Structures are given as C-alpha cells and as structure tokens.
Amino acid sequence: MEAKCGACGPGYKTPLDAMKAPREDIIYVSCVYNNTGINKPDYLSTVDVDPKSPTYSQIIHRLPMPNMNDELHHFGWNACSSCYGDPKKKRDRLVLLSLISSRIYIVDVGMDPRAPKLHKAIEPTEVYVKSNQAYLHSLHCLGSGEVMISSVADPSGKPKGGFVLLDGETFEVKGAWEKEGHAAPFGYDFWYQPRHNVMVSSEWGITKYMFDGYKEEDVKEGRYGHSIHVWDWNKHTRIQTLDLGEDGSIPMEVKFLHDPDAAEGFVGCSRGSSVFRFYKTQKGDWAAERVIKVPNKKVEGWAMPEMPSLITSIVISMDDRYLFFSNWLHGDVRQYDITNTSKPKLVGQVWIGAGIAKGGPVTVVQDEELKCQPELLILKGKKIQGGPQMIQLSFDGKRLYCTTSLISIWDKQFYPDMVKEGAAMLQIDVDMVKGGLTINKDFLIDFGKEPCGPSLAHEMRLSGGDSSSDIWI
C-alpha cells in the first residue's frame, strides 16, 4: 500500500517519487442505488486490480451504508502527501461524501484494506449547524491534518460555494473554512497550491434544478455557473473571479499541475465542452485562456439538435506531461500532451460509451472530427451503455480507470439503459512515452450483476493514492 519510508508519514516526498510507488492492488468505488428503483442503501465496493491475483477484475467486498438515499458521490483520504514528514499521520481512512443527504461517512481501510469497515457517520445536522454548508461534493486532506470539503449549497438549497473543515483524527466538524461573506455564488471542486498562497474553485449550479434533471433553459437562465474563483489560501478569502463565458459554462473539475512550484492548472467545462488553462500573471493576479475546444455534434434523435461533449472529469499525470479527460455524452476519453500548457496536443483517444454509438437512437448528421459514428463497445459480452465519466490515473501514469455514472438523475435522463443494466468500470492502458490509449480487454467490472441489482458506479480511489489525491506543500 504505502511505500516503506521509515518515519516519514503518508504519501511521498515529491510527485516524481510518487510515480515510483508500488502498483495499486485494489480500488475503492462508490456505488449508488438512488433513482434506480432499487430500495437499497448505497455502498462502497472494493475491486481487485492485481493481475496476479486469483480474484483479479472482481469485486471482493461491499460495504453498505446504514442509510438510504444518500447519493454517495466523491470521496478521498484523511491524509496524503501534504502530511509527508509527519510520522503520526496515516492514510488509513476514507471520507465518503453524500451529495443529496449531506451525510459524511468515515471508513476504516487501515485494519483490513480488502474489507473496509464503517468507522463513523457524521449526520447532516452537525454539518448544517457548525458550517451552514450542505450538498457536499469534493475533498482534500491538508498539511494541518484537517480535511477540507466543498459544498454546492447551504442547508436551504440556496447555492453557496463554501467549504467545511473536519478534524483529521476525531472527524468532528470544525466549521466553515472561508471567512464570512466570502463564499462563492456556486460551488463544486477545488485545488490548493500553498507555495503561491492560492486556491482555485469551480462551479456547478442550483440544486433545485440540478436534481430535477438537466435542462438547457436552466443554463440560459443563469442557474449554472461559468466562472472559477481564486482564493487567498492563508486568509481564507475570495480575491478574484474569472468569468469563462459561454465556452466555460459549468466548469467542473479543477486541477493545478502537481509540481508545487507551478502557478497554473486546468479546469474542464462540461456544457462549454472546453478546457481552460488558468495561470498567475506577471502582475501577480490570475487569468484564464481556453486551450481545448471539443466541437458539438449536430444530431437527430436526441434532446437537442446539437450534442455537447460534456467534459466531466479531468486528471493530470504526476510528471505534469499529460492531461486526460472524459466526454460523457460523446463517449470518448482523450489524452493530451501538455508539455506546452498553452497548446495541448491530442495524442490518445478511445471510444467507450453509447452516446453516439452506431446503431443507437442518436444519428450524427454533421461531425467536425469523425467520418463515421463509432461502434458500440462490447466488453466481455457487456454492452457499455453509459459514457466515460469519472477517470482516475495510477501514480505511474500507465493505467487509467474509468466508470460510467455521473449522478443518478442525469444517468436516468441521458442513459436510461445504463440505469437498468448497471454501470461499468474499465481500465485503459496508457502509453506514457509517445502517448496513446488502449482499452484493456481483460478487465471489466459489470455493476449490472450486483447481488442487490444493477448499481451506478462513480468515484474511484486507488490503494496508496492516485493522481488526484495528493497535493504537495
């Protein structure tokens, strides 16, 4: 699991050291029953990804949550490389966030990594009272030993881009991170870079409309965000807002480069089908530029005459050479060389989902990129009905894992067959020398065959850490 480094604490000294870490042997995956018609609690699955194991490419454990209708979403570690050098810290707890209920689960993966146990549940009322935050989305562990969580709204559902602090040992809610009056108008994801005294956060939308299914008119009415926010890391204040415009509509996952001295990163904008680079200027403030644009496809047999790609997840390799992202509606995963961060170069692409697959309900009538519609992917006899959504990269950059569920209500709207037949988890082999992506045909987790019925698989965390877990200070 962790590299043997004596008394140096969790994680690794540098991002390049992390690339030399032992290969992941298990992956934890959040699984959802909300909006599927199955009256069961969500659960955490443990997947064997060791090719030498007799249970390779199988779910070896399931940990059901004690409550219903949580909508488990993103989750992360109690400690990572931000705590490197502190021998008292261990990466031995997972912090699971519930997007709908605002409940937080603490899961012990230290005693038996292959069979996690529930350590503690933090009820929504404690989150509400102590932080005035709700609808929890993303988290990072801090060098202070605390865990920081982003929120999408306040307890009444009013949009609010704030942050909750947890004690990293007792897991008590300590309160809100941001100074009063400095919360952003919308919230979603965040990443901090202490050497530049900065954090950048992104935006989603108003929960009332998000959880009622996606509607294009809600975007036009300003019910979804289109900005990223710059924060003073030490003062906990919002100091700048960068409006990304129409191409930056619904900016979701945000990532700085892993190099802790770097003053730049990327954000994937889902409705805008674009990737923006944000960076520190010579004047000391921050700016953003669009560096990737995925063209819409003109279609028939779909909800709108043009289909956006809907970029939903991005990840950067530990050496800061490659950027990966998923197009949930179009159905492909892409790899870009970002050696020149202002001019990313497409070097790898694979088609996974059913969005524009040949023979499906959608007919592409005009496409700036493809000459014909891709074939529907069938892996080990399973038709991959959803689109590539969450992606997670191994420390060495050689394996990219992918799940197909976004959020249950949107799954039901855009990929009803996936809700009926279950999500999937795949593994993509990555060429880290020249670039290139290839689907591993020996690996598939079919969540349509679960004991309690088909489930929706979302976030993944790799044993010992992954390329979106660790931040260096």
Side-chain angles (χ1 to χ4, degrees):
M1 294 281 287
E2 297 286 353
K4 295 180 179 179
C5 53
C8 52
Y12 302 90
K13 187 176 182 179
T14 69
L16 296 183
D17 286 334
M19 293 188 76
K20 303 172 185 177
R23 176 176 173 145
E24 68 281 357
D25 55 1
I26 53 179
I27 295 181
Y28 304 105
V29 186
S30 57
C31 300
V32 172
Y33 276 123
N34 209 28
N35 284 306
T36 65
I38 297 174
N39 193 31
K40 294 288 183 180
D42 300 341
Y43 61 100
L44 182 72
S45 62
T46 305
V47 176
D48 190 331
V49 294
D50 180 0
K52 298 178 182 179
S53 170
T55 53
Y56 173 66
S57 188
Q58 296 179 35
I59 297 175
I60 57 175
H61 187 266
R62 298 169 184 85
L63 176 65
M65 298 301 110
N67 300 282
M68 305 288 290
N69 304 315
D70 282 318
E71 186 92 31
L72 289 184
H73 203 59
H74 286 202
F75 63 99
W77 298 100
N78 64 316
C80 69
S81 294
S82 63
C83 295
Y84 184 85
D86 186 346
K88 296 180 292 183
K89 305 296 183 184
K90 293 182 179 180
R91 184 169 7 214
D92 60 356
R93 300 285 191 274
L94 284 171
V95 181
L96 278 64
L97 307 180
S98 303
L99 183 60
I100 301 295
S101 72
S102 304
R103 191 171 280 111
I104 303 172
Y105 295 107
I106 311 301
V107 173
D108 184 344
V109 296
M111 293 294 292
D112 185 353
R114 297 174 70 86
K117 294 183 178 180
L118 183 62
H119 172 71
K120 180 179 181 179
I122 303 171
E123 291 302 312
T125 50
E126 183 177 352
V127 179
Y128 299 162
V129 171
K130 293 184 178 179
S131 71
N132 194 32
Q133 320 273 4
Y135 303 96
L136 308 177
H137 191 272
S138 301
L139 68 89
H140 282 293
C141 44
L142 310 184
S144 62
E146 298 166 308
V147 175
M148 184 166 161
I149 299 168
S150 64
S151 70
V152 176
D154 68 14
S156 71
K158 181 180 178 181
K160 180 181 182 180
F163 305 90
V164 182
L165 280 180
L166 296 185
D167 185 291
E169 294 187 6
T170 65
F171 299 103
E172 296 292 325
V173 177
K174 299 182 70 174
W177 173 84
E178 74 279 2
K179 288 280 183 69
E180 187 174 354
H182 281 267
F186 293 102
Y188 188 80
D189 195 22
F190 71 101
W191 193 284
Y192 64 93
Q193 201 80 320
R195 294 187 189 181
H196 292 278
N197 186 35
V198 68
M199 179 180 78
V200 172
S201 67
S202 58
E203 300 185 329
W204 196 358
I206 301 174
T207 56
K208 175 182 176 181
Y209 300 98
M210 289 159 36
F211 301 154
D212 192 36
Y214 177 83
K215 297 181 181 68
E216 187 68 9
E217 57 264 32
D218 290 335
V219 176
K220 296 177 181 178
E221 292 295 328
R223 293 162 182 158
Y224 287 91
H226 47 79
S227 300
I228 57 175
H229 304 280
V230 183
W231 301 75
D232 185 304
W233 181 243
N234 291 327
K235 295 181 179 179
H236 303 193
T237 56
R238 185 160 56 99
I239 57 175
Q240 195 176 352
T241 293
L242 302 177
D243 189 337
L244 305 181
E246 185 176 351
D247 282 343
S249 181
I250 316 185
M252 299 186 91
E253 292 196 0
V254 57
K255 304 284 188 293
F256 266 95
L257 296 183
H258 292 289
D259 179 356
D261 288 323
E264 60 180 327
F266 297 89
V267 58
C269 303
S270 60
R271 179 58 186 89
S273 301
S274 300
V275 175
F276 278 74
R277 167 183 172 256
F278 56 86
Y279 58 96
K280 192 175 185 178
T281 72
Q282 291 183 346
K283 295 188 301 180
D285 62 354
W286 292 79
E289 61 175 349
R290 194 193 74 189
V291 293
I292 300 171
K293 174 67 175 179
V294 180
N296 290 348
K297 300 182 187 297
K298 292 186 178 180
V299 297
E300 294 176 349
W302 198 64
M304 297 182 290
E306 289 195 12
M307 177 188 283
S309 72
L310 213 77
I311 297 171
T312 52
S313 183
I314 69 170
V315 65
I316 298 173
S317 61
M318 300 303 295
D319 58 4
D320 291 332
R321 182 178 176 188
Y322 294 114
L323 168 73
F324 305 82
F325 66 79
S326 57
N327 289 314
W328 191 59
L329 290 180
H330 287 180
D332 60 313
V333 174
R334 302 188 180 203
Q335 176 190 16
Y336 284 80
D337 186 323
I338 54 171
T339 304
N340 182 344
T341 53
S342 291
K343 296 182 179 179
K345 180 182 177 182
L346 180 64
V347 293
Q349 184 178 25
V350 289
W351 291 87
I352 288 176
I356 60 165
K358 189 183 299 183
V362 177
T363 299
V364 179
V365 297
Q366 185 176 332
D367 194 327
E368 295 182 27
E369 297 183 313
L370 300 178
K371 294 181 179 180
C372 62
Q373 293 179 233
E375 299 286 342
L376 177 66
L377 178 62
I378 301 176
L379 200 57
K380 291 190 171 183
K382 180 180 177 66
K383 296 179 180 179
I384 308 302
Q385 295 288 1
Q389 207 288 110
M390 290 304 298
I391 54 174
Q392 191 55 270
L393 186 67
S394 61
F395 268 145
D396 61 11
K398 296 180 180 180
R399 292 164 302 283
L400 186 71
Y401 296 91
C402 170
T403 55
T404 55
S405 168
L406 174 57
I407 176 177
S408 63
I409 189 65
W410 288 25
D411 293 348
K412 191 174 181 179
Q413 178 181 357
F414 291 108
Y415 290 114
D417 287 341
M418 179 181 68
V419 176
K420 295 176 184 176
E421 300 176 21
M425 174 181 168
L426 302 86
Q427 187 228 300
I428 302 166
D429 293 324
V430 181
D431 186 333
M432 286 288 285
V433 179
K434 298 180 180 179
L437 303 176
T438 307
I439 295 172
N440 179 353
K441 295 182 179 180
D442 294 326
F443 184 92
L444 173 71
I445 304 298
D446 182 356
F447 289 92
K449 297 181 178 179
E450 288 296 85
C452 293
S455 66
L456 303 171
H458 187 66
E459 174 74 292
M460 296 164 284
R461 289 296 173 194
L462 282 58
S463 55
D466 45 64
S467 292
S468 63
S469 292
D470 289 37
I471 294 177
W472 281 263
I473 61 174

